[in-house]
Amino acid sequence: SQQGEEDPQALSIQEGENATMNCSYKTSINNLQWYRQNSGRGLVHLILIRSNEREKHSGRLRVTLDTSKKSSSLLITASRAADTASYFCATANTGGFKTIFGAGTRLFVKA
Amino acid sequence: DAGITQSPRHKVTETGTPVTLRCHQTENHRYMYWYRQDPGHGLRLIHYSYGVKDTDKGEVSDGYSVSRSKTEDFLLTLESATSSQTSVYFCASCPDTDTQYFGPGTRLTVL
C-alpha cells in the first residue's frame, strides 16, 4: 500500500491564487520530499524536509511537516499557468533505502 | 533529466516475450530505482539497487528482475511480459537516500 497519500486528488485554481496540497503517511520517516511531474515527463525534485524540521521555504514553495499527525502540506503561492502539473509527496523511511510515493495531486492553474 | 537516460523510450511487445529496459546514469550515484506509473497508483517501486550487484525488491516486484553490473547501468527485465505490465516505467538515481533524479520514462505496451 502507498505510504503517502495526497489530498486533494485534483485542484483547479486561477492564476495568482495559492494552491495547497496535503500528504499523509503511515510510518516513521527520515524525510519527506515533494516532486512535480509535467505531463509525459519524469519527476522533478522540488523540496525535501527532514523529520526534525517543521517548515521549509524555496522560492514560492512552502512545505510544513507535522510528525505527530504524520502529515505534510505543500503551498504554492501566486500560482502561474506553468505550475500546472501533478505533485507527489514521497517518504523515506528511517534506516531504509526506499522512497515511497503517493498517488499525487493534479493541479490545474487557469490563466 | 540531465545525466540519466532510459532506453528504449517506447516499446510494443507481445505477451510472453522477454523485455529488457535499460537505465543509464552518468552521475556516479550509488542508488538506483525502477518504478512503474499507472493511473490512480502514482509511482510504485519495483526494485532498487544500493550498489553494484546489490539489489532488493520493492512493493511490486513479481514478474520483474534487475541487474546492476556497473554503477552507471541498471537493467529491468520482464522475463515473460503480460498485459498487466503495460505501464510507464521510470528509472531514478540518487547519491544518497534523499533527492532522486528521474529519467524521462519508457512507455511499454504489452499486447
Side-chain angles (χ1 to χ4, degrees), chain A residues 1-94:
Chain A
S1 62
Q2 296 289 347
Q3 165 76 317
E5 295 182 4
E6 288 92 343
D7 169 59
Q9 290 185 339
L11 180 62
S12 181
I13 59 174
Q14 291 291 137
E15 206 167 30
E17 295 181 339
N18 295 341
T20 299
M21 288 159 268
N22 302 297
C23 171
S24 60
Y25 58 92
K26 298 175 182 175
T27 62
S28 297
I29 61 171
N30 183 10
N31 64 65
L32 186 144
Q33 304 164 47
W34 285 91
Y35 289 80
R36 183 187 72 224
Q37 183 182 34
N38 290 93
S39 181
R41 306 290 297 274
L43 278 71
V44 174
H45 182 261
L46 293 175
I47 194 166
L48 178 150
I49 186 166
R50 300 195 184 280
S51 59
N52 61 351
E53 298 175 309
R54 291 297 167 257
E55 187 171 315
K56 204 160 185 181
H57 296 257
S58 177
R60 294 185 294 112
L61 305 180
R62 172 178 169 257
V63 170
T64 61
L65 179 64
D66 187 335
T67 53
S68 66
K69 295 181 180 179
K70 291 185 169 59
S71 67
S72 173
S73 67
L74 170 67
L75 169 68
I76 303 174
T77 59
S79 296
R80 305 166 182 168
D83 294 327
T84 294
S86 291
Y87 292 82
F88 296 87
C89 71
T91 53
N93 292 349
T94 303

Side-chain angles (χ1 to χ4, degrees), chain A residues 2 31 35 37 50 97 99, chain B residues 33 37 41 48 98 100:
Chain A
Q2 296 289 347
N31 64 65
Y35 289 80
Q37 183 182 34
R50 300 195 184 280
F97 306 125
T99 300
Chain B
Y33 304 82
Q37 185 175 35
H41 289 278
Y48 63 100
D98 292 349
Q100 294 191 20

Side-chain angles (χ1 to χ4, degrees), chain B residues 67-107:
Chain B
S67 66
R68 191 163 178 210
S69 58
K70 297 185 291 185
T71 297
E72 58 266 34
D73 290 324
F74 193 32
L75 304 180
L76 176 70
T77 297
L78 291 65
E79 300 290 347
S80 178
T82 67
S83 59
S84 65
Q85 293 176 313
T86 292
S87 187
V88 180
Y89 291 86
F90 286 98
C91 172
S93 70
C94 186
D96 43 43
T97 54
D98 292 349
T99 302
Q100 294 191 20
Y101 298 88
F102 281 81
T106 294
R107 185 173 296 275

